[in-house]
């Protein structure tokens, strides 16, 4: 995988928690994770995604990246306690960095679209929120590593991977270390 010093990659591979995986109608096996990690190697262009928001408008990840300096791709679920704990932290960082060119493309991997819609209506977020349809997830798990939720991947304005896995507790450090992208 050419991981070198990817702290987050080592963290996820060492501390994978079964209860936070997105195993709805398929098994995310080791081969899918390896394929996804290879597809999201830093420096490579990330695969395009177009998922519907709560108004059923398809939002392009590529277009989102072009409008921003750093786009964080966030995989999350409405019933994930780690996601819930992380939400106010992400919201604070979003408020701090959004005006400098940060965007979040949050992809719900909830089993039920209605659970996702209820959650985002009850707890709105200022960033882009989309839903990955169940029928497209077998492809998604081979393109994007999301061994647990929340998973954060950073892309630049050209859609190239800056970091394929960011530990949520290190997100602010990551943004500070990558201030050059905001210039």
């Amino acid at each position: 995988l050419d991981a070198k010093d990817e702290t987050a990659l080592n963290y996820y591979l060492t501390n994978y928690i079964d209860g936070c995986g997105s195993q709805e109608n398929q098994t995310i096996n080791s081969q899918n994770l390896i394929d996804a990690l290879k597809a999201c190697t830093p420096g490579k262009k990330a695969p395009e995604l177009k998922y519907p928001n709560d108004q059923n408008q398809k939002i392009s990840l590529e277009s989102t990246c072009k409008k921003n300096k750093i786009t964080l791709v966030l995989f999350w679920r409405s019933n994930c306690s780690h996601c819930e704990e992380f939400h106010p932290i992400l919201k604070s960082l979003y408020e701090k960095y959004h005006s400098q060119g940060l965007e979040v493309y949050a992809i719900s991997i909830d089993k039920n679209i209605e659970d996702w819609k209820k959650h985002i209506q009850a707890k709105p977020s200022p960033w882009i929120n989309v839903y990955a349809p169940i029928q497209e997830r077998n492809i998604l798990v081979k393109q994007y590593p999301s061994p647990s939720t929340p998973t954060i991947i950073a892309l630049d304005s050209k859609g190239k991977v800056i970091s394929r896995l960011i530990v949520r507790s290190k997100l602010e450090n990551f943004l500070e270390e990558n201030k050059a992208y905001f210039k």
Side-chain angles (χ1 to χ4, degrees):
L1 291 175
D2 193 29
K4 295 187 177 102
D5 285 336
E6 283 188 80
T7 306
L9 177 59
N10 291 325
Y11 174 85
Y12 277 109
L13 294 177
T14 304
N15 299 303
Y16 177 75
I17 301 170
D18 288 331
C20 293
S22 60
Q23 301 176 348
E24 44 277 338
N25 288 324
Q26 75 267 349
T27 300
I28 297 179
N29 61 30
S30 299
Q31 189 58 52
N32 283 349
L33 181 57
I34 290 168
D35 290 347
L37 289 165
K38 286 179 182 178
C40 276
T41 299
K44 271 185 138 175
K45 187 163 177 18
E48 168 66 319
L49 300 174
K50 285 186 181 178
Y51 290 138
N53 64 11
D54 62 334
Q55 304 299 308
N56 208 29
Q57 299 166 319
K58 289 204 173 184
I59 308 295
S60 163
L61 176 60
E62 185 175 319
S63 294
T64 300
C65 289
K66 286 179 182 177
K67 296 175 192 171
N68 298 284
K69 309 245 174 139
I70 293 180
T71 299
L72 300 177
V73 179
L74 171 70
F75 290 88
W76 70 284
R77 291 180 300 126
S78 62
N79 64 348
C80 167
S81 62
H82 299 109
C83 299
E84 201 61 29
E85 292 167 4
F86 180 58
H87 187 269
I89 296 164
L90 181 58
K91 191 171 185 177
S92 174
L93 292 172
Y94 185 85
E95 289 168 358
K96 180 177 179 180
Y97 290 96
H98 180 66
S99 64
Q100 298 175 49
L102 176 71
E103 187 54 78
V104 175
Y105 187 91
I107 303 170
S108 169
I109 53 174
D110 278 299
K111 291 180 184 178
N112 182 322
I113 193 168
E114 293 307 318
D115 292 341
W116 166 68
K117 284 183 178 182
K118 284 181 197 171
H119 188 275
I120 63 171
Q121 287 173 356
K123 298 180 181 180
S125 302
W127 49 79
I128 296 167
N129 222 311
V130 298
Y131 181 80
I134 298 285
Q135 65 272 19
E136 296 182 30
R137 295 196 191 165
N138 284 330
I139 296 167
L140 181 64
V141 299
K142 293 177 183 177
Q143 295 177 327
Y144 286 88
S146 56
S148 63
T149 54
T151 292
I152 309 162
I153 300 166
L155 307 177
D156 70 10
S157 62
K158 295 177 183 169
K160 289 186 180 179
V161 178
I162 301 169
S163 180
R164 58 184 154 193
L165 293 170
I166 303 169
V167 177
R168 67 181 182 267
S169 63
K170 305 288 184 192
L171 179 56
E172 186 162 20
N173 293 344
F174 170 82
L175 293 170
E176 286 296 318
E177 290 168 4
N178 288 280
K179 276 190 168 183
Y181 285 96
F182 294 120
K183 293 180 179 175

